[in-house]
Each structure stands twice: as structure tokens, then as C-alpha cells.
Amino acid sequence: MTSTSDPRDLRTELESLTTEAFRPELADIDRLPTLDIARLMNGEDATVAGAVAARLPQITAAIDAVAERMARGGRLVYAGAGTAGRLGILDASECPPTFNTDPSRVVGLIAGGPEAVVTSVEGAEDSRELARADLEPVGLTPDDTVVGISASGRTPYAIGAVEYARTRGSLTVGLACNPGSPLGAAADHGIEIVVGPELLTGSTRLKAGTAQKLVLNMLSTITMIRLGKTYGNLMVDVRASNDKLRARSHRIVALATGAGDKEIEEALTATDGEVKNAILTILADVDGPTAARLLEESGGHLRAALESRS
């Protein structure tokens, strides 16, 4: 079921959004030299980080709440339409290779399904009911978090995802780029990154999309740091699934331990390539099974496992 709102009402609503505002000073942008357009665009992009910085307290509160639930086994679910949905899927898909998470722990949903990642699915974003249908098979629990993503903050699919998640007792986050958004109001944690009008009127894949990507980077990355997926700034839970990542695994162990190549290769072999375990065997001078036990007892936190041996 899709929205049947009067088109005139929708036009009026869009005209009130900062992300949809027309900028008359850019009306002749198509007449400018390419370098001048690039400078304009680069200058616009430079303002995004400041807009994110203005919402760091809200972002921090959301991250702490997400991490607390994920530490109990909860999942992080992104839901959005169009660019917002694609950004959620991108962030979710990067977590397994970066942090060795199970693909079911961080999930991205897009209005219209997988086809919508590369092709516009007309009308999908207008349905709250579609969001519910996509989330029902997930089997949400109070330990899960659903993040609705929408530049306008009014997309029915994102709002519907947050509303349904709240009926299941899950934590909810609303990530939008307009102040006072319905999405932010519907969520436990509203994060509204106000980037202002776009270079191209209404093209929210630009500054709004960049802002959403920055916030999603923070949500997943800092949550994983809190969960012990890093040791300092090293990705010690990286999954060595190709030659590049195997080389990176070796380098991470070297940076963490200062050990030589032979010792590192022996440690990685003894731990089936698990970087975190290999570091522990070297720094704590234990064998592979003992390293695995110490990490299990410390909830996967390498620093805590090392401190338990000191």
C-alpha cells in the first residue's frame, strides 16, 4: 500500500524542507567553467563535517545505546529508500570484512528490495507497510536497533521502519538532514544533520548523502571499537579473505607486537589466521588454544585478555 497524499500537499511540504530549497545564486551554474563548478562543489562539501560536529552529542548517545545492546547479542539494522537505503547497505556490507562480524549482525534494508540498490523502484519509499513487511522476517527483539535513514526526514518507509521497531521494543535511531523531522521525532534518538540546500536543488545524494555516510561510519565503527573489535586503532578482527587482507593481517600483528616475520607467521598458523589470537599468543606468550580461551573469557576484548595475564 502506498501513500495517496494530495500532490499539492506534498509539493508544499517539500518546499518547506531545507534540503529541497532553491538557491537562485546558482541558477547559472551550468554556464560556469568546469573548474569553477568543482570549486563550488568542494566548498559545499567542506561544510558537511561542521554540520555533523554540531550533532556529536546526539550521535554519541545513540552509539552508546547501540553498543550496549549489541554487546548482549543484538543487531544493527539500517532501513531507508533510495540513496539513504544504499548507504545503509554499504555500511552493513563493510562490517564483515572489516570487523569479522556475522552478516546477520549488521543488516541493510532498502525500500523495494535488492533490485532497488541499482534501479529505482517506483513508490516503494511511500509505504510504511512495506517497511513492516521487510522487518517482520528479521524477528526484532529489545536488544536490536533499527536506524531509519532519510535526508528529508519524512520518507514513509524510514518512518514506518522506526515505528514498527518501537512496537517490538527495539531501540530506534532516526537519521535525517532537516530540523524538526517526523523521522527524528518518531525515534528514540533523533540525529538531524542540517546541511542546508544542495548545489543541485533537491539532489540529496550530495551533501545530505555525505553527511549520512559520515554518521553511519561513526555508528558502526565506534560501536565496533566499544565491542572490542579493535586494539588501539588496529583492525584486529579483520577477516583475511584475500591476498590483500592476508598481507594486512600480517602487518597488523607486526604493528601490535613488533615481532619478526617468522614469529608472526607461526602465530597466525597456530591460530588459523585469527589476528587477535595471534597477537595474544605473542604478547602473552601462550599457545593458540589458551589465547582462544582468554579471549572468550574477556568477551573478545584483546586488551582485557592481555591485562588478565599481567
Side-chain angles (χ1 to χ4, degrees), residues 78 86-95 106 213 216-217 220:
Y78 298 129
R86 295 180 190 105
L87 289 170
I89 289 173
L90 173 63
D91 198 73
S93 67
E94 292 288 353
C95 287
V106 185
K213 180 67 167 68
L216 295 179
N217 282 350
S220 58

Side-chain angles (χ1 to χ4, degrees), residues 209-246:
T210 300
Q212 291 166 350
K213 180 67 167 68
L214 292 177
V215 175
L216 295 179
N217 282 350
M218 288 183 177
L219 282 176
S220 58
T221 302
I222 302 175
T223 292
M224 294 303 164
I225 291 173
R226 294 274 75 89
L227 294 177
K229 294 289 187 178
T230 66
Y231 177 62
N233 64 342
L234 297 175
M235 298 183 293
V236 291
D237 259 335
V238 65
R239 178 179 295 170
S241 56
N242 58 39
D243 288 343
K244 181 189 77 172
L245 292 178
R246 278 186 282 275

